[in-house]
Amino acid sequence: MTDPQGAGARTPIRSDMGFSTPDRVVVQGRDLPGEIIGHLDLGAMAFLEITGRIPTKAEARVFNALLVTLVEHGMTPQAMAARLVYLGAPEALQAAVAAGLCGMGSMFGGGAEAAARMLQEANGRDAPEIVESYIAARRPIPGLGHPVHKPVDPRTARLFDIAAEHGFSGPHVALLRRIAEAAEQRTGRTLPINATGAIGAVMTEMGFDWRLCRGVAVIGRAVGLVGHIAEELRAPIARTLWEQTEGEVTQHALEAEAP
């Protein structure tokens, strides 16, 4: 008998991302060798994959700027994690990069998602109200503050300039600026809009869902982590990080045991 609710019926699997045949590779409905390779840069390709369409010149300019912003930020915990995993498993570069990407959270590089969500779910609330809601919940305000870049994050200033030049500086960027001003007035602290906050605001201006914003940071940071591994091959420091840490921990333990 046929289930009237359709239970057990086979549901066709569909995707528009791409497919291959013996003589063709098609991506988002376009011939990869003929229409994409040699025609699109990595940023435009990423935009195509995410949105299903090739970006306009303005979109490509802004999107590429967002991608490169978080590629490199020095010897972060993510970079150290990648180097140390590569030291232990040099046969698995992908595992080392993945280890670094796993550290992209609220403290390091993951704030674009939270900032974009805050802006996209503002629902007409003004900046002081949004600030108060975070303070009342004892939660950090997404996209604000930086331990080094004060009173201005230079990356933010540049991103906002590029966004404005290409028509992507609208109500969401303005709201984030008002939130930063309200937060500083409310707390008495210097809370610049950081790079991830700027990325979240500009991506919102470009129409991206907040759930995709961390992905752009991940794309950029993956490039940077491969760069750290490349430097590790040229001038290794992971073994020194490990041995020095182990040595100091052991020395401290021995000193603590001494009478």
Side-chain angles (χ1 to χ4, degrees):
M1 296 180 60
T2 302
D3 187 336
Q5 300 299 318
R10 185 175 182 273
T11 302
I13 297 172
R14 300 285 186 265
S15 172
D16 295 322
M17 296 302 291
F19 67 90
S20 299
T21 66
D23 61 346
R24 299 174 64 204
V25 180
V26 178
V27 175
Q28 297 287 357
R30 292 169 173 81
D31 180 67
L32 179 65
E35 298 179 75
I36 296 177
I37 296 175
H39 298 280
L40 300 185
D41 61 23
L42 181 59
M45 183 63 190
F47 191 97
L48 171 64
E49 278 284 274
I50 294 168
T51 67
R53 63 179 179 85
I54 294 174
T56 65
K57 289 184 179 180
E59 288 171 330
R61 170 77 167 142
V62 175
F63 192 73
N64 271 290
L66 299 177
L67 285 177
V68 304
T69 299
L70 296 178
V71 167
E72 183 52 51
H73 203 47
M75 201 58 63
T76 61
Q78 299 158 334
M80 288 189 282
R83 287 175 181 254
L84 290 166
V85 170
Y86 189 72
L87 174 66
E91 71 282 1
L93 181 146
Q94 75 281 3
V97 173
L101 294 178
C102 284
M104 293 198 68
S106 58
M107 293 296 292
F108 298 101
E113 174 185 86
R117 184 175 188 178
M118 174 180 69
L119 297 172
Q120 292 176 25
E121 296 181 351
N123 296 322
R125 294 181 299 164
D126 61 20
E129 185 180 358
I130 292 171
V131 169
E132 288 299 330
S133 69
Y134 279 90
I135 291 175
R138 297 186 176 183
R139 295 165 55 200
I141 301 169
L144 302 187
H146 195 278
V148 177
H149 301 307
K150 298 177 182 180
V152 175
D153 187 328
R155 302 167 299 174
T156 295
R158 182 60 178 144
L159 284 176
F160 281 169
D161 284 348
I162 293 171
E165 290 169 10
H166 294 84
F168 293 105
S169 183
H172 303 291
V173 169
L175 177 57
L176 185 58
R177 283 176 162 149
R178 293 196 300 273
I179 290 171
E181 292 172 1
E184 290 193 345
Q185 292 174 0
R186 175 66 172 80
T187 66
R189 298 168 53 202
T190 300
L191 295 170
I193 299 172
N194 57 44
T196 55
I199 290 171
V202 174
M203 287 194 68
T204 298
E205 297 286 359
M206 297 179 78
F208 286 94
D209 188 300
W210 63 264
R211 289 168 292 188
L212 294 171
C213 291
R214 188 177 304 201
V216 168
V218 166
I219 294 168
R221 187 54 55 90
V223 174
L225 293 174
V226 174
H228 273 270
I229 292 171
E231 185 182 68
E232 190 67 24
L233 291 170
R234 297 190 302 269
I237 63 171
R239 182 169 291 277
T240 300
L241 287 172
W242 163 43
E243 291 178 347
Q244 184 171 324
T245 301
E246 178 69 13
E248 291 182 10
V249 168
T250 300
Q251 182 63 31
H252 173 76
L254 292 174
E255 290 173 355
E257 286 183 350

